[in-house]
């Protein structure tokens, strides 16, 4: 064996024992709270990716979409036939265009009721609350209500929250927080959002 191969083998052995040790110490089994936040692209994509993953094993999944602005959604088109998936969408539709606080609040609370039902159902393995961070930011929903529903959810249930500027209390509660960092976004160079890629 060359020197280089010996060094490589030794490094791999060290890495393996490090990884094995960490895997062995991660033994707690329960649902998790995940937050996908930050300004970069990928938050909602990652949430739907996880939805697909859970549905792949036949688990029940609920997705609540808190913003109707980007109304089309390829993942929903593809997955909605799955009887294990339930999708609730904000009805009268908060969009960036509406400036009617009262109507937006009402629409938000209506879909939040669906979220609360999912968060109380032990049969639902994964719940996604897509773009919920904005509901808190605009004051359509209050943090105590959300925190309580999350804290009292069934222990086996995993929840994913997405959106920019996540409330610090949500960050504090979460098991996993991923901040999508924007290095560059084509939109800023004039690229239009693309069907099947951006929505
Ligand atoms: P995606 O749905 O592509 O995973 P996202 O959930 O991380 O994006 P949102 O803030 O919810 O990001 O974005 C909604 C729309 O804006 C999507 O079409 C998304 O592709 C696009 N987008 C995401 N990040 C940026 C950005 N930094 N600048 C401009 N547009 C963005
Ligand atoms: Mg999103």
């Amino acid at each position: 064996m060359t020197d280089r191969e010996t060094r490589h083998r030794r490094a791999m052995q060290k890495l393996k024992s490090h990884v094995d040790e960490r895997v062995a110490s991660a033994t707690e089994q329960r649902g998790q709270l995940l937050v996908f936040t930050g300004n970069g692209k990928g938050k909602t994509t990652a949430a739907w990716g996880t939805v697909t993953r859970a549905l792949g094993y036949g688990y029940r999944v609920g997705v609540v979409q808190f913003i109707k602005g980007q109304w089309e959604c390829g993942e929903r088109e593809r997955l909605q036939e799955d009887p294990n998936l339930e999708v609730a969408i904000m009805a009268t539709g908060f969009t960036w265009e509406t400036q009617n606080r009262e109507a937006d609040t009402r629409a938000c609370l209506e879909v939040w009721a669906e979220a609360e039902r999912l968060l109380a159902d032990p049969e639902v393995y994964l719940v996604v609350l897509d773009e919920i961070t904005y509901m808190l930011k605009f004051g359509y929903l209050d943090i105590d209500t959300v925190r309580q529903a999350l804290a009292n959810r069934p222990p086996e249930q995993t929840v994913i929250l997405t959106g920019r500027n996540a409330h610090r209390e949500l960050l504090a509660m979460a098991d996993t927080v991923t901040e999508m960092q924007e290095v560059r976004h084509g939109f800023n160079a004039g690229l239009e959002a693309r069907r099947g890629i951006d929505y």
Side-chain angles (χ1 to χ4, degrees):
M1 214 182 310
T2 64
D3 267 9
R4 195 171 171 198
E5 280 166 348
T6 311
R7 263 186 285 126
H8 178 77
R9 180 172 288 199
R10 218 176 279 145
M12 288 300 117
Q13 271 163 358
K14 203 165 154 196
L15 184 61
K16 179 175 158 41
S17 69
H18 180 65
V19 172
D20 287 350
E21 218 173 90
R22 292 183 48 143
V23 170
S25 65
T27 54
E28 194 183 346
Q29 293 212 30
R30 60 172 171 81
Q32 298 184 30
L33 178 63
L34 298 93
V35 176
F36 299 157
T37 190
N39 291 337
K41 172 176 165 62
K43 301 175 287 292
T44 298
T45 314
W48 278 109
T50 314
V51 167
T52 311
R53 197 172 263 187
L55 290 173
Y57 291 103
Y59 291 118
R60 275 188 56 197
V61 178
V63 176
V64 182
Q65 296 182 313
F66 281 91
I67 286 192
K68 202 191 161 191
Q70 195 66 267
W71 155 247
E72 282 192 285
C73 171
E75 295 97 327
R76 199 179 61 219
E77 293 300 316
R78 180 67 177 81
L79 298 172
Q80 68 188 358
E81 290 139 45
D82 192 318
N84 285 322
L85 175 67
E86 188 185 329
V87 182
I89 307 166
M90 203 146 130
T92 54
F94 167 85
T95 71
W96 301 115
E97 291 85 41
T98 68
Q99 271 133 33
N100 185 337
R101 209 184 134 72
E102 210 180 292
D104 286 348
T105 306
R106 218 177 311 123
C108 171
L109 293 177
E110 249 167 56
V111 81
W112 170 251
E114 302 292 315
E116 274 189 323
R117 182 178 48 77
L118 292 162
L119 291 169
D121 186 346
E123 299 297 314
V124 179
Y125 188 76
L126 170 66
V127 177
V128 173
L129 305 178
D130 191 35
E131 321 294 357
I132 192 174
T133 59
Y134 306 104
M135 303 299 106
L136 294 160
K137 196 166 165 56
F138 302 148
Y140 301 161
L141 260 184
D142 74 78
I143 183 67
D144 288 333
T145 307
V146 175
R147 199 187 29 196
Q148 260 182 40
L150 291 174
N152 297 332
R153 76 186 195 279
E156 290 300 316
Q157 186 181 79
T158 289
V159 178
I160 299 177
L161 312 175
T162 85
R164 299 170 192 209
N165 305 110
H167 194 288
R168 63 186 156 75
E169 291 197 41
L170 297 180
L171 297 178
M173 283 181 86
D175 299 291
T176 296
V177 177
T178 299
E179 171 131 355
M180 306 289 175
Q181 196 198 339
E182 184 189 325
V183 174
R184 185 177 303 137
H185 198 290
F187 176 75
N188 299 317
L191 283 175
E192 198 182 349
R194 207 161 168 78
R195 195 168 194 231
I197 306 296
D198 292 306
Y199 58 88

